[in-house]
Amino acid sequence: MFRFEQQLEEWLQINLDKENNPRRQELLAKGLGYGTVEFLRAVWFPAVGNFNYLFPEWEVRDFNNGYRYLDLAYMPGGAKGGFEIQGYGPHARDLDVRRFKDLCRRHSLLSLDGWTFLSIAYPSITDEPQLCQQLVLAFIGKFMASDVPSSLTWLEAETLRFARRLLRPFTPVELTHHLRVTNRHARRVLHELVEQQLLEIVGGKERNRTYQLRM
């Protein structure tokens, strides 16, 4: 937990130091909302292990020349991804018609501008953190290039595509069925992709290991 707290503080300070926009500077100086911090603590950091390409309180313009702020923007290589932490009180129980319409309009306008969102309910963060972690990994996978290194064999390339489509780590047996090859051949493919740092071993002993994309 100390590692998370330290990296969180460093990440926030880096964002604050690099920001020249006084509006976003003021928001960052106030600190992140409780729900956002809990999402980072219980979901993002355990799943990803770093804050690369993640930007808190990201400012965007709406179609009325106003400013809106995303809880977290995820922008690898110029992509437009965002996370919205939906607190049960303000976003559901206490939502009046005007605010409900504005929320829908906000998401619509941002979608038209090329943003893709993953909305996370705060109760899910506390009750189902592992499911949220799987969703986050799948969301990140959508922003990874659809192509693969040309140096890979067909089986290696298809293994990477298979890993990107899953919401969880997978076993060699699952890959065996997907590729329609022997278990020994599937394990050789996995070993090669781990050596190339494209996949990583998540856990388990040698015969029961699981694998996922390296983040």
Side-chain angles (χ1 to χ4, degrees), residues 200-211:
E200 63 182 358
I201 299 171
V202 181
K205 296 182 179 180
E206 185 173 357
R207 301 301 300 177
N208 298 303
R209 283 177 174 169
T210 55
Y211 299 79

Side-chain angles (χ1 to χ4, degrees), residues 39 44 48 53-54 70 72-76 79-84 114-120 131-144 163-168 213 215:
F39 168 77
W44 179 272
V48 182
Y53 312 116
L54 197 64
L70 311 181
L72 295 163
Y74 180 67
M75 299 185 292
K80 293 181 175 181
F83 294 94
E84 294 278 81
W115 288 88
T116 302
F117 283 97
L118 189 65
S119 293
I120 303 289
L131 174 60
C132 293
Q133 290 170 18
Q134 293 169 0
L135 291 172
V136 163
L137 290 174
F139 185 80
I140 290 175
K142 289 179 66 66
F143 292 91
M144 300 180 68
R164 290 171 183 168
R165 292 193 293 267
L166 287 183
L167 291 174
R168 53 172 175 73
L213 286 172
M215 298 300 172

Side-chain angles (χ1 to χ4, degrees), residues 23-202:
R23 292 180 299 273
R24 184 168 179 251
Q25 277 185 337
E26 183 178 357
L27 284 175
L28 291 173
K30 290 179 179 177
L32 303 185
Y34 180 79
T36 301
V37 173
E38 286 307 300
F39 168 77
L40 294 171
R41 184 196 315 276
V43 178
W44 179 272
F45 198 73
V48 182
N50 59 63
F51 298 113
N52 296 346
Y53 312 116
L54 197 64
F55 302 89
E57 300 293 351
W58 188 254
E59 183 179 282
V60 294
R61 297 292 295 268
D62 64 21
F63 284 2
N64 295 318
N65 290 321
Y67 302 99
R68 296 178 183 265
Y69 296 88
L70 311 181
D71 292 339
L72 295 163
Y74 180 67
M75 299 185 292
K80 293 181 175 181
F83 294 94
E84 294 278 81
I85 314 305
Q86 308 288 8
Y88 180 64
H91 288 286
R93 202 174 49 225
D94 303 328
L95 200 63
D96 60 29
V97 174
R98 181 187 61 80
R99 292 174 62 197
F100 176 70
K101 289 165 61 177
D102 182 69
L103 180 65
C104 292
R105 185 182 301 114
R106 174 178 186 267
H107 281 195
S108 296
L109 295 177
L110 289 170
S111 295
L112 289 172
D113 193 36
W115 288 88
T116 302
F117 283 97
L118 189 65
S119 293
I120 303 289
Y122 178 75
S124 294
I125 295 173
T126 58
D127 300 342
E128 304 168 306
Q130 291 185 334
L131 174 60
C132 293
Q133 290 170 18
Q134 293 169 0
L135 291 172
V136 163
L137 290 174
F139 185 80
I140 290 175
K142 289 179 66 66
F143 292 91
M144 300 180 68
S146 58
D147 58 340
V148 294
S150 59
S151 59
L152 298 182
T153 67
W154 180 88
L155 289 177
E156 292 168 349
E158 182 56 29
T159 298
L160 282 188
R161 296 188 183 101
F162 176 67
R164 290 171 183 168
R165 292 193 293 267
L166 287 183
L167 291 174
R168 53 172 175 73
F170 62 95
T171 66
V173 172
E174 290 177 295
L175 182 63
T176 295
H177 294 319
H178 177 72
L179 297 179
R180 298 174 183 254
V181 297
T182 65
N183 186 268
R184 178 177 295 180
H185 198 158
R187 289 181 182 276
R188 283 202 299 266
V189 171
L190 290 168
H191 176 76
E192 183 61 31
L193 291 173
V194 170
E195 286 290 311
Q196 296 182 48
Q197 298 187 345
L198 295 172
L199 293 181
E200 63 182 358
I201 299 171
V202 181

